[in-house]
Amino acid sequence: SYALFATLSTLLLWGLYRAAQRESGEKPAQRGRSVRFWLSTWLPFVLVAVLSLYIHYYALAAVGLSLLMFPLFLLAASASSLSSLWRDPAKRRALLNLIIALAIVGLAFLPQLISQLAPTVIVAGQRSVAVESGTLQPVFRLDFKAFADTLVAFVTYRPNWASDPLFFPAVTLL
């Protein structure tokens, strides 16, 4: 799954770069066919993003990185300044198209997210009932460390994630 994840992440960035090039080179004649133009520009990115999210959860980093990379790709494709991102209406429309594409990716990923979180919710509910009935002592406290430990254990599928201190630098470098 890691090789497929790496391939799909590369295709995701390529689709994002291709979308930035198409958005920066949009002609006024193409604006009349906006739905067709949007589909031909953003559909490859959306499909690869959804597929990569269903392959591996680490794709959340690659999809999230698109929020940073797309404006950079857009600036590189049009050779303009940073202030043109919010001054130029075409670039603002391109950024809006990115947000729409990411919303579609999020909606398409929602069933997978719900199916993965459902067992955790069931276990938490059973534990809550046991604590209320007095058969189980409450050991979970809602604080920042407990939240961080739960989040990292969920993402890494490791109950003892502290034994791998190189995990976060490796994901960050990826």
Side-chain angles (χ1 to χ4, degrees):
S1 70
Y2 291 112
L4 185 56
F5 163 67
T7 303
L8 289 173
S9 295
T10 303
L11 287 174
L12 181 98
L13 286 175
W14 172 79
L16 197 63
Y17 181 72
R18 181 182 165 273
Q21 286 181 328
R22 287 185 54 109
E23 287 283 353
S24 66
E26 182 184 7
K27 306 287 185 259
Q30 292 173 324
R31 290 185 189 139
R33 300 174 294 176
S34 61
V35 173
R36 186 182 305 161
F37 178 78
W38 191 93
L39 286 174
S40 66
T41 301
W42 289 100
L43 192 61
F45 170 77
V46 168
L47 291 177
V48 171
V50 170
L51 185 60
S52 64
L53 284 170
Y54 274 88
I55 295 295
H56 208 290
Y57 278 113
Y58 292 168
L60 284 170
V63 172
L65 187 64
S66 66
L67 285 170
L68 173 68
M69 295 303 296
F70 182 72
L72 296 176
F73 287 155
L74 196 59
L75 289 174
S78 63
S80 56
S81 67
L82 183 63
S83 65
S84 69
L85 283 176
W86 57 85
R87 289 185 182 163
D88 185 10
K91 286 186 179 57
R92 282 196 309 255
R93 187 175 52 252
L95 292 172
L96 178 65
N97 286 340
L98 170 69
I99 299 300
I100 292 169
L102 288 175
I104 292 170
V105 168
L107 286 174
F109 182 61
L110 200 56
Q112 173 74 6
L113 186 65
I114 291 170
S115 72
Q116 293 300 317
L117 290 179
T120 306
V121 171
I122 291 170
V123 169
Q126 291 169 348
R127 185 175 180 82
S128 172
V129 169
V131 169
E132 289 173 3
S133 68
T135 60
L136 183 66
Q137 293 297 320
V139 295
F140 181 77
R141 288 178 294 284
L142 186 60
D143 58 358
F144 181 74
K145 183 180 179 335
F147 175 74
D149 289 346
T150 305
L151 181 65
V152 170
F154 174 73
V155 170
T156 62
Y157 298 113
R158 298 178 188 168
N160 189 10
W161 62 272
S163 65
D164 190 2
L166 296 177
F167 173 76
F168 283 112
V171 170
T172 303
L173 287 175
L174 176 68

